[in-house]
Amino acid sequence: MAGSVDHSSGENEQNPQNERQIHKVGVPPRQNLYKEFASTVKETLFADDPLRPFKDQPRSRKFILGVQTIFPIFDWGRSYNLHKFRGDLISGLTIASLCIPQDIGYSKLANLAPQYGLYSSFVPPLIYAFMGSSRDIAIGPVAVVSLLLGTLIQNEIDPTKNPDEYLRLTFTATFFAGITQATLGFFRLGFLIDFLSHAAVVGFMGGAAITIALQQLKGFLGIKKFTKKSDIISVMRSIRSSAHHGWNWQTILIGASFLGFLLFAKYIGKKNRKFFWVPAIAPLISVILSTFFVFITRAEKKGVQIVNHIEKGINPSSVSQIYFTGDYLLKGVKIGIVAGMIALTEAIAIGRTFAAMKDYQIDGNKEMVALGAMNIVGSMTSCYVATGSFSRSAVNYMAGCKTAVSNIVMSCVVFLTLEFITPLFKYTPNAILSSIIISAVISLIDFEAAILIWKIDKFDFIACMGAFVGVIFISVEMGLLIAVTISFAKILLQVTRPRTAILGKVPRTTVYRNILQYPEATKVPGILIVRVDSAIYFSNSNYIKERILRWLTDEEERLKAAYLPRIQYLIVEMSPVTDIDTSGINAFQELHRSLQKRDVQLVLANPGPVVMDKLHASNFTDLIGENKIFLTVADAVCSCSPKLVEEA
């Protein structure tokens, strides 16, 4: 048997031992500390090489490129034409018709007067149009961030008893949300938002959508006394307790009728992409019709709650209202960081989605700076946190937008609304705003994504459901905390418990693969081949050493029971090991000593340049011998096999 294995390890059947050339692993030249550090920093923070366009350019050209980097509109604006403007005009008007009723509704989620929602769709989109790199994102308040802000700030200040302080803390949180976003972009730390996994975001969004919809039952049913808690149990108790005396049937009739109309409009839009404008203008039509209906029937006198007064005019300055000192400063910072990160996650995800659909690239760090700048300016002009809206961005894309000018068009329409039309919203019933929000957030519940997550990764599904359950049964911030905690737990688990595998030889080849993936792969007698699928650090080095020894113990017990030759060589395949630290090298030294006691020789296959450099620096190569390090597993097996054959 040993002889046949020996022949299979060579490539030439006539003389496999002599003909096969075994290559040694190269040792990379030592880098000085400064170059190594600079290279690491560059790959971490400047992987996209952002300064490349500036190379070998005259000073005047560098200045122009610098301006275009900060304000991309001066780059793509040079090729702007009437054809593009026509597409942007149509899409801008379409998203404006969607955003106006949504803004009034979302401001209620944030416990703010209706005009603040409109303010947040006037200034921020203008700033983004000049600084953003996405052609498709539509900027404004969104349901999830509005609810998050409203919940977190309400925990600190009662919006009913102290409306002025509540408003000031909102502007403070918005300011620091912008500072957080701009800082992440400026220092190129955008990779931090990737720590919130896709699965956690899906669960959080789904839970937030249900929470938002439940909160809207107050306006939908015409309930005056309603719980301020957001969990499903508190909300259902509040609804049940007010069922006999607190519901208003006229309000329910208005809400249910128009919710049915909005959902039908959405169905038409999904059925036929040509009718994308139907669900886009349906909210505005609903507001106009319901307002007219309430006005002519005087339904407000029969208990139908209405918007009443909306402040007329454009954004007043709010610089003096931001807390830069005092007890509320730290609270504003904390809330701002949380809201800013969630807003960033949503905007970047939306931007990447539509950029992929149109086959262009967006710079994540530029996006963060743009979003941060618009929220900083927004906080000074009576706006609360704005970001990319998925529903509006989808409509913007479907309407044929060409550039960010569609945001400017939308902003101009909102400006005209603030200046001239706001008094007409006086008789708008709250029920219609609730219906608009419910119809908008339903799309945030992504059942298909949850099912796909379950099929792909069960641990991801736990993260998804953890965030979902946390939001609907506890609170929005607790759901977010659970989502982040589970995401980090997954990272820690993967880092501290990396995968290892036993390799076997694929028949009629010199390729060695995982025997679980390739059942036909055969083990080489007298040799155990183990692959480590991770970098080896202090966090996992002890586990990897113990796991390899367990593989060896299990294999020795199996061979002993079958009366087969014992293991003489342990080959560790190190291709996936991208790095190793001092703890990892100590673990390998301990492994070497343990193997010596068992009379088993340690052999390494294909360590990478970084690993090889550190093995040499630590003198580990001298410990096991240079002749025990090979370029491939096949070389290692070929070198070990002859001795096994002779003994056999």
Side-chain angles (χ1 to χ4, degrees), residues 343-386:
L344 261 188
T345 303
E346 187 168 355
I348 298 298
I350 292 167
R352 286 174 179 168
T353 299
F354 289 105
M357 290 168 73
K358 283 190 175 179
D359 194 26
Y360 68 92
Q361 298 294 320
I362 65 167
D363 187 326
N365 291 296
K366 280 184 186 177
E367 285 294 285
M368 292 175 198
V369 172
L371 292 163
M374 78 180 193
N375 278 316
I376 291 170
V377 175
S379 70
M380 299 176 180
T381 52
S382 299
C383 305
Y384 73 94
V385 180

mmCIF file of all heavy atoms in Angstrom, residues 343-386:
data_model
loop_
_atom_site.group_PDB
_atom_site.id
_atom_site.type_symbol
_atom_site.label_atom_id
_atom_site.label_comp_id
_atom_site.label_asym_id
_atom_site.label_seq_id
_atom_site.Cartn_x
_atom_site.Cartn_y
_atom_site.Cartn_z
ATOM 1 N N ALA A 343 -28.188 56.516 9.913
ATOM 2 C CA ALA A 343 -28.461 57.269 8.684
ATOM 3 C C ALA A 343 -27.413 56.967 7.621
ATOM 4 O O ALA A 343 -27.733 56.804 6.433
ATOM 5 C CB ALA A 343 -28.499 58.761 8.984
ATOM 6 N N LEU A 344 -26.145 56.863 8.051
ATOM 7 C CA LEU A 344 -25.058 56.536 7.119
ATOM 8 C C LEU A 344 -25.240 55.156 6.516
ATOM 9 O O LEU A 344 -25.098 54.967 5.310
ATOM 10 C CB LEU A 344 -23.719 56.558 7.861
ATOM 11 C CG LEU A 344 -22.839 57.791 7.743
ATOM 12 C CD1 LEU A 344 -21.494 57.525 8.380
ATOM 13 C CD2 LEU A 344 -22.661 58.226 6.306
ATOM 14 N N THR A 345 -25.546 54.188 7.372
ATOM 15 C CA THR A 345 -25.720 52.805 6.908
ATOM 16 C C THR A 345 -26.791 52.726 5.834
ATOM 17 O O THR A 345 -26.611 52.076 4.795
ATOM 18 C CB THR A 345 -26.101 51.899 8.095
ATOM 19 O OG1 THR A 345 -25.094 52.004 9.110
ATOM 20 C CG2 THR A 345 -26.217 50.453 7.663
ATOM 21 N N GLU A 346 -27.915 53.412 6.074
ATOM 22 C CA GLU A 346 -29.014 53.388 5.106
ATOM 23 C C GLU A 346 -28.622 54.076 3.800
ATOM 24 O O GLU A 346 -28.843 53.550 2.711
ATOM 25 C CB GLU A 346 -30.256 54.059 5.709
ATOM 26 C CG GLU A 346 -31.489 53.927 4.827
ATOM 27 C CD GLU A 346 -32.780 54.314 5.530
ATOM 28 O OE1 GLU A 346 -32.757 54.596 6.741
ATOM 29 O OE2 GLU A 346 -33.816 54.333 4.851
ATOM 30 N N ALA A 347 -27.997 55.260 3.914
ATOM 31 C CA ALA A 347 -27.643 56.028 2.712
ATOM 32 C C ALA A 347 -26.605 55.310 1.863
ATOM 33 O O ALA A 347 -26.735 55.242 0.628
ATOM 34 C CB ALA A 347 -27.126 57.416 3.116
ATOM 35 N N ILE A 348 -25.547 54.763 2.499
ATOM 36 C CA ILE A 348 -24.491 54.080 1.746
ATOM 37 C C ILE A 348 -25.044 52.833 1.064
ATOM 38 O O ILE A 348 -24.720 52.539 -0.093
ATOM 39 C CB ILE A 348 -23.313 53.716 2.674
ATOM 40 C CG1 ILE A 348 -22.666 54.977 3.275
ATOM 41 C CG2 ILE A 348 -22.270 52.901 1.919
ATOM 42 C CD1 ILE A 348 -22.067 55.928 2.275
ATOM 43 N N ALA A 349 -25.906 52.099 1.781
ATOM 44 C CA ALA A 349 -26.517 50.896 1.189
ATOM 45 C C ALA A 349 -27.349 51.256 -0.036
ATOM 46 O O ALA A 349 -27.279 50.595 -1.079
ATOM 47 C CB ALA A 349 -27.376 50.187 2.232
ATOM 48 N N ILE A 350 -28.136 52.335 0.077
ATOM 49 C CA ILE A 350 -28.972 52.775 -1.047
ATOM 50 C C ILE A 350 -28.101 53.235 -2.205
ATOM 51 O O ILE A 350 -28.330 52.863 -3.369
ATOM 52 C CB ILE A 350 -29.917 53.910 -0.592
ATOM 53 C CG1 ILE A 350 -30.957 53.376 0.399
ATOM 54 C CG2 ILE A 350 -30.625 54.550 -1.788
ATOM 55 C CD1 ILE A 350 -31.709 54.465 1.133
ATOM 56 N N GLY A 351 -27.080 54.049 -1.901
ATOM 57 C CA GLY A 351 -26.194 54.560 -2.947
ATOM 58 C C GLY A 351 -25.507 53.448 -3.711
ATOM 59 O O GLY A 351 -25.449 53.467 -4.944
ATOM 60 N N ARG A 352 -24.996 52.450 -2.977
ATOM 61 C CA ARG A 352 -24.303 51.329 -3.630
ATOM 62 C C ARG A 352 -25.259 50.504 -4.478
ATOM 63 O O ARG A 352 -24.893 50.025 -5.557
ATOM 64 C CB ARG A 352 -23.649 50.446 -2.566
ATOM 65 C CG ARG A 352 -22.400 51.053 -1.946
ATOM 66 C CD ARG A 352 -21.877 50.217 -0.796
ATOM 67 N NE ARG A 352 -20.664 50.779 -0.223
ATOM 68 C CZ ARG A 352 -20.127 50.393 0.922
ATOM 69 N NH1 ARG A 352 -20.720 49.426 1.628
ATOM 70 N NH2 ARG A 352 -19.037 50.953 1.379
ATOM 71 N N THR A 353 -26.486 50.333 -3.986
ATOM 72 C CA THR A 353 -27.481 49.539 -4.727
ATOM 73 C C THR A 353 -27.756 50.141 -6.093
ATOM 74 O O THR A 353 -27.685 49.462 -7.123
ATOM 75 C CB THR A 353 -28.794 49.446 -3.921
ATOM 76 O OG1 THR A 353 -28.533 48.804 -2.675
ATOM 77 C CG2 THR A 353 -29.842 48.650 -4.691
ATOM 78 N N PHE A 354 -28.068 51.439 -6.122
ATOM 79 C CA PHE A 354 -28.420 52.077 -7.396
ATOM 80 C C PHE A 354 -27.196 52.314 -8.280
ATOM 81 O O PHE A 354 -27.311 52.306 -9.511
ATOM 82 C CB PHE A 354 -29.185 53.382 -7.143
ATOM 83 C CG PHE A 354 -30.581 53.150 -6.626
ATOM 84 C CD1 PHE A 354 -30.893 53.374 -5.295
ATOM 85 C CD2 PHE A 354 -31.582 52.671 -7.458
ATOM 86 C CE1 PHE A 354 -32.166 53.133 -4.806
ATOM 87 C CE2 PHE A 354 -32.858 52.426 -6.984
ATOM 88 C CZ PHE A 354 -33.154 52.658 -5.654
ATOM 89 N N ALA A 355 -26.024 52.521 -7.666
ATOM 90 C CA ALA A 355 -24.796 52.661 -8.455
ATOM 91 C C ALA A 355 -24.496 51.360 -9.192
ATOM 92 O O ALA A 355 -24.087 51.373 -10.355
ATOM 93 C CB ALA A 355 -23.633 53.046 -7.545
ATOM 94 N N ALA A 356 -24.729 50.222 -8.518
ATOM 95 C CA ALA A 356 -24.512 48.918 -9.155
ATOM 96 C C ALA A 356 -25.492 48.708 -10.305
ATOM 97 O O ALA A 356 -25.139 48.143 -11.352
ATOM 98 C CB ALA A 356 -24.657 47.805 -8.121
ATOM 99 N N MET A 357 -26.729 49.177 -10.132
ATOM 100 C CA MET A 357 -27.744 49.011 -11.177
ATOM 101 C C MET A 357 -27.416 49.838 -12.411
ATOM 102 O O MET A 357 -27.723 49.449 -13.536
ATOM 103 C CB MET A 357 -29.116 49.403 -10.620
ATOM 104 C CG MET A 357 -29.652 48.401 -9.587
ATOM 105 S SD MET A 357 -31.073 49.006 -8.665
ATOM 106 C CE MET A 357 -32.354 48.905 -9.908
ATOM 107 N N LYS A 358 -26.767 50.999 -12.209
ATOM 108 C CA LYS A 358 -26.407 51.862 -13.345
ATOM 109 C C LYS A 358 -24.942 51.732 -13.747
ATOM 110 O O LYS A 358 -24.458 52.449 -14.616
ATOM 111 C CB LYS A 358 -26.715 53.325 -13.008
ATOM 112 C CG LYS A 358 -28.194 53.671 -13.092
ATOM 113 C CD LYS A 358 -28.395 55.183 -12.998
ATOM 114 C CE LYS A 358 -29.853 55.566 -13.193
ATOM 115 N NZ LYS A 358 -30.052 57.030 -13.081
ATOM 116 N N ASP A 359 -24.216 50.827 -13.057
ATOM 117 C CA ASP A 359 -22.832 50.522 -13.388
ATOM 118 C C ASP A 359 -21.915 51.750 -13.279
ATOM 119 O O ASP A 359 -21.230 52.118 -14.221
ATOM 120 C CB ASP A 359 -22.737 49.914 -14.799
ATOM 121 C CG ASP A 359 -21.362 49.282 -15.037
ATOM 122 O OD1 ASP A 359 -20.728 48.873 -14.054
ATOM 123 O OD2 ASP A 359 -20.934 49.221 -16.205
ATOM 124 N N TYR A 360 -21.946 52.393 -12.123
ATOM 125 C CA TYR A 360 -20.959 53.446 -11.845
ATOM 126 C C TYR A 360 -20.520 53.307 -10.397
ATOM 127 O O TYR A 360 -21.117 52.567 -9.622
ATOM 128 C CB TYR A 360 -21.517 54.845 -12.137
ATOM 129 C CG TYR A 360 -22.625 55.318 -11.205
ATOM 130 C CD1 TYR A 360 -22.331 56.061 -10.058
ATOM 131 C CD2 TYR A 360 -23.967 55.052 -11.487
ATOM 132 C CE1 TYR A 360 -23.346 56.519 -9.225
ATOM 133 C CE2 TYR A 360 -24.980 55.500 -10.650
ATOM 134 C CZ TYR A 360 -24.661 56.232 -9.524
ATOM 135 O OH TYR A 360 -25.659 56.683 -8.697
ATOM 136 N N GLN A 361 -19.449 53.984 -10.036
ATOM 137 C CA GLN A 361 -18.877 53.853 -8.699
ATOM 138 C C GLN A 361 -19.208 55.076 -7.846
ATOM 139 O O GLN A 361 -19.244 56.199 -8.344
ATOM 140 C CB GLN A 361 -17.348 53.718 -8.777
ATOM 141 C CG GLN A 361 -16.871 52.481 -9.521
ATOM 142 C CD GLN A 361 -17.235 51.200 -8.797
ATOM 143 O OE1 GLN A 361 -17.162 51.116 -7.578
ATOM 144 N NE2 GLN A 361 -17.644 50.186 -9.559
ATOM 145 N N ILE A 362 -19.458 54.837 -6.555
ATOM 146 C CA ILE A 362 -19.560 55.961 -5.628
ATOM 147 C C ILE A 362 -18.464 55.804 -4.577
ATOM 148 O O ILE A 362 -18.091 54.696 -4.209
ATOM 149 C CB ILE A 362 -20.945 56.067 -4.951
ATOM 150 C CG1 ILE A 362 -21.223 54.862 -4.037
ATOM 151 C CG2 ILE A 362 -22.044 56.245 -5.952
ATOM 152 C CD1 ILE A 362 -22.410 55.065 -3.120
ATOM 153 N N ASP A 363 -17.931 56.924 -4.147
ATOM 154 C CA ASP A 363 -16.883 56.935 -3.136
ATOM 155 C C ASP A 363 -17.543 57.026 -1.767
ATOM 156 O O ASP A 363 -18.134 58.049 -1.413
ATOM 157 C CB ASP A 363 -15.955 58.138 -3.377
ATOM 158 C CG ASP A 363 -14.740 58.125 -2.454
ATOM 159 O OD1 ASP A 363 -14.879 57.677 -1.300
ATOM 160 O OD2 ASP A 363 -13.667 58.568 -2.889
ATOM 161 N N GLY A 364 -17.460 55.929 -0.990
ATOM 162 C CA GLY A 364 -18.116 55.882 0.307
ATOM 163 C C GLY A 364 -17.672 56.977 1.241
ATOM 164 O O GLY A 364 -18.478 57.570 1.975
ATOM 165 N N ASN A 365 -16.367 57.318 1.220
ATOM 166 C CA ASN A 365 -15.860 58.359 2.119
ATOM 167 C C ASN A 365 -16.351 59.745 1.708
ATOM 168 O O ASN A 365 -16.678 60.575 2.556
ATOM 169 C CB ASN A 365 -14.333 58.312 2.155
ATOM 170 C CG ASN A 365 -13.822 57.060 2.841
ATOM 171 O OD1 ASN A 365 -14.057 56.852 4.024
ATOM 172 N ND2 ASN A 365 -13.142 56.204 2.091
ATOM 173 N N LYS A 366 -16.421 59.993 0.392
ATOM 174 C CA LYS A 366 -16.987 61.270 -0.088
ATOM 175 C C LYS A 366 -18.459 61.385 0.303
ATOM 176 O O LYS A 366 -18.935 62.465 0.668
ATOM 177 C CB LYS A 366 -16.866 61.358 -1.617
ATOM 178 C CG LYS A 366 -15.499 61.764 -2.122
ATOM 179 C CD LYS A 366 -15.556 61.918 -3.633
ATOM 180 C CE LYS A 366 -14.176 62.179 -4.204
ATOM 181 N NZ LYS A 366 -14.215 62.254 -5.684
ATOM 182 N N GLU A 367 -19.171 60.265 0.198
ATOM 183 C CA GLU A 367 -20.588 60.261 0.574
ATOM 184 C C GLU A 367 -20.759 60.638 2.042
ATOM 185 O O GLU A 367 -21.656 61.394 2.409
ATOM 186 C CB GLU A 367 -21.187 58.869 0.335
ATOM 187 C CG GLU A 367 -21.446 58.545 -1.122
ATOM 188 C CD GLU A 367 -22.520 59.435 -1.707
ATOM 189 O OE1 GLU A 367 -23.702 59.238 -1.414
ATOM 190 O OE2 GLU A 367 -22.161 60.360 -2.450
ATOM 191 N N MET A 368 -19.892 60.115 2.877
ATOM 192 C CA MET A 368 -19.984 60.421 4.308
ATOM 193 C C MET A 368 -19.726 61.891 4.589
ATOM 194 O O MET A 368 -20.407 62.512 5.412
ATOM 195 C CB MET A 368 -18.997 59.548 5.089
ATOM 196 C CG MET A 368 -19.375 58.084 5.077
ATOM 197 S SD MET A 368 -18.132 57.087 5.880
ATOM 198 C CE MET A 368 -18.559 55.488 5.229
ATOM 199 N N VAL A 369 -18.724 62.441 3.914
ATOM 200 C CA VAL A 369 -18.433 63.871 4.092
ATOM 201 C C VAL A 369 -19.616 64.708 3.617
ATOM 202 O O VAL A 369 -20.016 65.679 4.278
ATOM 203 C CB VAL A 369 -17.148 64.266 3.324
ATOM 204 C CG1 VAL A 369 -16.955 65.775 3.341
ATOM 205 C CG2 VAL A 369 -15.928 63.579 3.934
ATOM 206 N N ALA A 370 -20.208 64.333 2.467
ATOM 207 C CA ALA A 370 -21.356 65.070 1.927
ATOM 208 C C ALA A 370 -22.554 64.993 2.873
ATOM 209 O O ALA A 370 -23.201 66.010 3.167
ATOM 210 C CB ALA A 370 -21.729 64.519 0.548
ATOM 211 N N LEU A 371 -22.856 63.784 3.360
ATOM 212 C CA LEU A 371 -23.978 63.606 4.288
ATOM 213 C C LEU A 371 -23.725 64.351 5.589
ATOM 214 O O LEU A 371 -24.636 64.967 6.164
ATOM 215 C CB LEU A 371 -24.195 62.119 4.565
ATOM 216 C CG LEU A 371 -24.699 61.282 3.386
ATOM 217 C CD1 LEU A 371 -24.486 59.796 3.642
ATOM 218 C CD2 LEU A 371 -26.168 61.554 3.102
ATOM 219 N N GLY A 372 -22.474 64.318 6.057
ATOM 220 C CA GLY A 372 -22.128 65.035 7.278
ATOM 221 C C GLY A 372 -22.268 66.531 7.119
ATOM 222 O O GLY A 372 -22.832 67.222 7.987
ATOM 223 N N ALA A 373 -21.769 67.050 5.998
ATOM 224 C CA ALA A 373 -21.848 68.500 5.751
ATOM 225 C C ALA A 373 -23.298 68.962 5.681
ATOM 226 O O ALA A 373 -23.658 70.010 6.245
ATOM 227 C CB ALA A 373 -21.116 68.842 4.453
ATOM 228 N N MET A 374 -24.149 68.189 5.006
ATOM 229 C CA MET A 374 -25.550 68.614 4.862
ATOM 230 C C MET A 374 -26.274 68.589 6.205
ATOM 231 O O MET A 374 -27.143 69.431 6.471
ATOM 232 C CB MET A 374 -26.274 67.761 3.820
ATOM 233 C CG MET A 374 -26.697 66.408 4.286
ATOM 234 S SD MET A 374 -27.529 65.470 2.988
ATOM 235 C CE MET A 374 -28.216 64.138 3.989
ATOM 236 N N ASN A 375 -25.920 67.648 7.088
ATOM 237 C CA ASN A 375 -26.570 67.609 8.401
ATOM 238 C C ASN A 375 -26.029 68.681 9.340
ATOM 239 O O ASN A 375 -26.766 69.200 10.176
ATOM 240 C CB ASN A 375 -26.431 66.212 9.020
ATOM 241 C CG ASN A 375 -27.468 65.245 8.485
ATOM 242 O OD1 ASN A 375 -28.638 65.587 8.362
ATOM 243 N ND2 ASN A 375 -27.049 64.039 8.129
ATOM 244 N N ILE A 376 -24.740 69.023 9.201
ATOM 245 C CA ILE A 376 -24.185 70.127 10.001
ATOM 246 C C ILE A 376 -24.875 71.432 9.617
ATOM 247 O O ILE A 376 -25.334 72.196 10.475
ATOM 248 C CB ILE A 376 -22.659 70.231 9.803
ATOM 249 C CG1 ILE A 376 -21.958 69.023 10.437
ATOM 250 C CG2 ILE A 376 -22.119 71.526 10.409
ATOM 251 C CD1 ILE A 376 -20.489 68.904 10.083
ATOM 252 N N VAL A 377 -24.955 71.701 8.310
ATOM 253 C CA VAL A 377 -25.646 72.916 7.833
ATOM 254 C C VAL A 377 -27.132 72.838 8.191
ATOM 255 O O VAL A 377 -27.741 73.827 8.602
ATOM 256 C CB VAL A 377 -25.460 73.084 6.306
ATOM 257 C CG1 VAL A 377 -26.273 74.277 5.800
ATOM 258 C CG2 VAL A 377 -23.990 73.268 5.969
ATOM 259 N N GLY A 378 -27.704 71.630 8.047
ATOM 260 C CA GLY A 378 -29.115 71.436 8.371
ATOM 261 C C GLY A 378 -29.425 71.762 9.818
ATOM 262 O O GLY A 378 -30.448 72.380 10.126
ATOM 263 N N SER A 379 -28.529 71.353 10.733
ATOM 264 C CA SER A 379 -28.759 71.624 12.157
ATOM 265 C C SER A 379 -28.773 73.121 12.451
ATOM 266 O O SER A 379 -29.356 73.557 13.440
ATOM 267 C CB SER A 379 -27.682 70.937 13.001
ATOM 268 O OG SER A 379 -26.418 71.559 12.818
ATOM 269 N N MET A 380 -28.128 73.888 11.595
ATOM 270 C CA MET A 380 -28.067 75.344 11.779
ATOM 271 C C MET A 380 -29.201 76.063 11.063
ATOM 272 O O MET A 380 -29.339 77.278 11.165
ATOM 273 C CB MET A 380 -26.721 75.879 11.271
ATOM 274 C CG MET A 380 -25.520 75.306 12.003
ATOM 275 S SD MET A 380 -23.965 75.866 11.304
ATOM 276 C CE MET A 380 -22.784 75.022 12.360
ATOM 277 N N THR A 381 -29.998 75.284 10.306
ATOM 278 C CA THR A 381 -31.123 75.880 9.564
ATOM 279 C C THR A 381 -32.426 75.145 9.867
ATOM 280 O O THR A 381 -33.220 74.866 8.972
ATOM 281 C CB THR A 381 -30.838 75.849 8.045
ATOM 282 O OG1 THR A 381 -30.488 74.506 7.655
ATOM 283 C CG2 THR A 381 -29.709 76.790 7.657
ATOM 284 N N SER A 382 -32.598 74.790 11.131
ATOM 285 C CA SER A 382 -33.861 74.210 11.634
ATOM 286 C C SER A 382 -34.240 72.872 11.013
ATOM 287 O O SER A 382 -35.419 72.557 10.890
ATOM 288 C CB SER A 382 -35.009 75.215 11.444
ATOM 289 O OG SER A 382 -34.760 76.396 12.161
ATOM 290 N N CYS A 383 -33.245 72.076 10.609
ATOM 291 C CA CYS A 383 -33.520 70.745 10.062
ATOM 292 C C CYS A 383 -33.127 69.684 11.088
ATOM 293 O O CYS A 383 -32.289 69.923 11.946
ATOM 294 C CB CYS A 383 -32.707 70.499 8.788
ATOM 295 S SG CYS A 383 -32.932 71.736 7.498
ATOM 296 N N TYR A 384 -33.741 68.523 10.982
ATOM 297 C CA TYR A 384 -33.248 67.389 11.763
ATOM 298 C C TYR A 384 -32.619 66.382 10.804
ATOM 299 O O TYR A 384 -32.594 66.612 9.591
ATOM 300 C CB TYR A 384 -34.352 66.792 12.642
ATOM 301 C CG TYR A 384 -35.436 65.998 11.950
ATOM 302 C CD1 TYR A 384 -35.345 64.614 11.831
ATOM 303 C CD2 TYR A 384 -36.584 66.619 11.444
ATOM 304 C CE1 TYR A 384 -36.347 63.870 11.223
ATOM 305 C CE2 TYR A 384 -37.588 65.888 10.836
ATOM 306 C CZ TYR A 384 -37.460 64.505 10.721
ATOM 307 O OH TYR A 384 -38.451 63.779 10.118
ATOM 308 N N VAL A 385 -32.096 65.282 11.344
ATOM 309 C CA VAL A 385 -31.240 64.379 10.558
ATOM 310 C C VAL A 385 -31.908 63.921 9.258
ATOM 311 O O VAL A 385 -32.997 63.349 9.269
ATOM 312 C CB VAL A 385 -30.840 63.134 11.388
ATOM 313 C CG1 VAL A 385 -29.945 62.208 10.562
ATOM 314 C CG2 VAL A 385 -30.113 63.551 12.657
ATOM 315 N N ALA A 386 -31.233 64.193 8.142
ATOM 316 C CA ALA A 386 -31.701 63.755 6.815
ATOM 317 C C ALA A 386 -30.700 62.739 6.267
ATOM 318 O O ALA A 386 -29.526 62.737 6.632
ATOM 319 C CB ALA A 386 -31.810 64.946 5.876
#
